[in-house]
């Protein structure tokens, strides 16, 4: 283990020291630290999208600190230590790459992907003491909804439950949109929520068939909207106006202006 990593582990132990540690760090539990762990993972994604390499270095450090934090709490509970975490991922990567670390003949990307999923499936069965658990067993419920929808669909697809091509996924969106519009006309809140959920789920399915990560696509759409909206606000400040003072036609014209400037487009 490198000296810098050992120092980080020591720093974490000092922060959690019952007598001389930081009061905030001492009070944390696995459950209270989870939101920070998730947040740090998203901040890694954010700096990557920005092409900010110094920022990536910093955010990866923050994410590593979260791993060390969880490992320290586990060590205090007598469950495992940081080195166990490292050993476990080392063993898993070697086990799942027999075409690299063993004598198996490497195939193409598709064959390797199938083998990878096969290894994961076998591991899940062994971990659960397999007793006929379903194909969707083990998909974490705490995942962001779009990401979980995609994982559920991929698991189901491996059993043969899937559209044969993207056309079926596209037609399903039309069907769900019609049902959503019908629910809106009925005005029943629970029905509206259910149909909008079905529509979103179908959109994830379309993204999957188009080989697009739905979660990443929505994040990019969020960034694009934020950038264009900020552009509109800036233009209106120059005119000493507010959004509420503009008609829908004027707002639409200003939005199109923001689009033409390239506001919100992914950097290349």
């Amino acid at each position: 283990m490198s000296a810098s990593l050992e120092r980080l582990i020591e720093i974490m132990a000092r922060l959690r020291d019952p007598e001389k540690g930081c009061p905030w760090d001492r009070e944390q539990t696995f459950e209270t630290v989870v939101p920070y762990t998730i947040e740090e993972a998203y901040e890694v994604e954010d700096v990557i999208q920005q092409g900010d390499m110094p920022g990536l270095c910093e955010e990866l450090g923050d994410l590593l600190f979260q791993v060390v934090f969880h490992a320290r709490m586990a060590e205090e509970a007598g469950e495992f230590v940081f080195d166990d975490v490292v050993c476990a991922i080392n063993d898993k990567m070697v086990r799942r790459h027999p075409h690299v670390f063993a004598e198996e003949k490497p195939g193409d990307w598709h064959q390797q992907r199938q083998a990878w999923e096969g290894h994961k499936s076998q591991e899940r069965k062994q971990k659960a003491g397999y007793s006929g658990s379903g194909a969707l067993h083990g998909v974490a419920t705490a995942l962001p909804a779009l990401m979980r929808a995609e994982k559920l669909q991929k698991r189901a697809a491996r059993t043969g439950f899937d559209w044969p091509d993207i056309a079926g996924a596209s037609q399903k969106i039309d069907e769900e949109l019609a049902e959503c519009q019908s629910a809106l006309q009925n005005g029943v809140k629970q029905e509206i929520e259910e149909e909008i959920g079905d529509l979103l789920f179908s959109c994830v399915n379309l993204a999957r068939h188009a080989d697009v990560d739905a979660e990443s696509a929505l994040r990019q759409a969020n960034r694009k909207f934020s950038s264009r909206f900020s552009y509109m606000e800036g233009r209106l400040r120059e005119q000493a106006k507010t959004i509420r003072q503009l008609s829908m036609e004027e707002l639409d014209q200003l939005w199109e202006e923001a689009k033409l400037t390239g506001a919100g487009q992914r950097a290349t």
Side-chain angles (χ1 to χ4, degrees):
M1 188 183 299
S2 70
S4 55
L5 185 53
E6 286 182 352
R7 182 165 183 262
L8 177 58
I9 294 171
E10 291 170 359
I11 288 171
M12 186 71 254
R14 179 67 181 274
L15 289 172
R16 292 277 296 180
D17 186 278
E19 296 180 1
K20 299 180 180 180
C22 169
W24 186 89
D25 289 284
R26 289 201 310 257
E27 293 175 1
Q28 300 313 303
T29 65
F30 292 110
E31 291 75 16
T32 62
V33 173
V34 161
Y36 300 102
T37 307
I38 295 171
E39 181 180 343
E40 294 299 348
Y42 279 121
E43 289 182 0
V44 167
E45 192 271 348
D46 189 54
V47 292
I48 288 174
Q49 292 295 338
Q50 295 175 37
D52 180 2
M53 289 299 105
L56 178 59
C57 180
E58 179 180 349
E59 294 301 339
L60 286 174
D62 292 344
L63 185 57
L64 176 60
F65 181 76
Q66 296 299 310
V67 177
V68 172
F69 206 144
H70 284 284
R72 177 61 196 178
M73 290 187 291
E75 181 175 354
E76 292 169 357
E79 298 293 339
F80 57 82
V81 299
F82 180 80
D83 193 55
D84 295 325
V85 176
V86 178
C87 289
I89 190 59
N90 286 344
D91 292 344
K92 181 185 291 185
M93 289 301 102
V94 171
R95 186 170 63 248
R96 290 185 179 179
H97 294 83
H99 55 288
V100 176
F101 298 103
E103 298 300 321
E104 275 192 20
K105 182 179 179 181
D108 58 23
W109 181 90
H110 180 68
Q111 291 172 322
Q112 290 177 15
R113 182 65 182 177
Q114 286 183 319
W116 172 273
E117 294 299 341
H119 285 297
K120 287 175 62 178
S121 177
Q122 186 61 35
E123 288 169 7
R124 284 194 295 269
K125 292 176 182 179
Q126 293 174 350
K127 189 182 297 184
Y130 188 62
S131 59
S133 298
L136 305 185
H137 176 77
V139 179
T141 57
L143 288 170
L146 290 181
M147 189 182 299
R148 186 165 193 264
E150 183 175 16
K151 286 184 176 292
L152 289 170
Q153 291 169 7
K154 285 181 176 179
R155 290 277 191 92
R158 290 180 208 139
T159 71
F161 188 79
D162 198 10
W163 298 107
D165 53 43
I166 197 170
S170 181
Q171 291 170 4
K172 186 62 176 176
I173 289 180
D174 295 336
E175 176 187 325
E176 294 296 348
L177 180 58
E179 292 180 4
C180 187
Q181 291 170 336
S182 176
L184 289 168
Q185 291 176 354
N186 294 337
V188 179
K189 180 67 178 296
Q190 184 176 352
E191 182 184 350
I192 293 170
E193 182 176 356
E194 181 178 346
E195 294 302 339
I196 289 178
D198 290 345
L199 178 59
L200 289 171
F201 192 84
S202 296
C203 288
V204 173
N205 211 3
L206 178 66
R208 181 174 61 86
H209 276 271
D211 197 24
V212 169
D213 181 85
E215 190 79 20
S216 296
L218 184 56
R219 286 195 214 116
Q220 172 61 12
N222 289 341
R223 282 190 290 268
K224 184 166 58 178
F225 176 84
S226 179
S227 179
R228 290 176 179 176
F229 190 82
S230 296
Y231 174 88
M232 291 173 60
E233 289 181 313
R235 292 283 287 115
L236 289 174
R237 278 194 297 270
E238 294 172 359
Q239 303 169 27
K241 293 182 179 180
T242 66
I243 286 177
R244 292 185 183 278
Q245 293 175 308
L246 271 62
S247 66
M248 287 303 300
E249 291 76 14
E250 290 171 321
L251 285 172
D252 187 60
Q253 182 178 354
L254 190 55
W255 182 260
E256 290 301 320
E257 180 183 319
K259 290 170 64 176
L260 289 173
T261 66
Q265 297 302 314
R266 188 190 298 270
T268 58

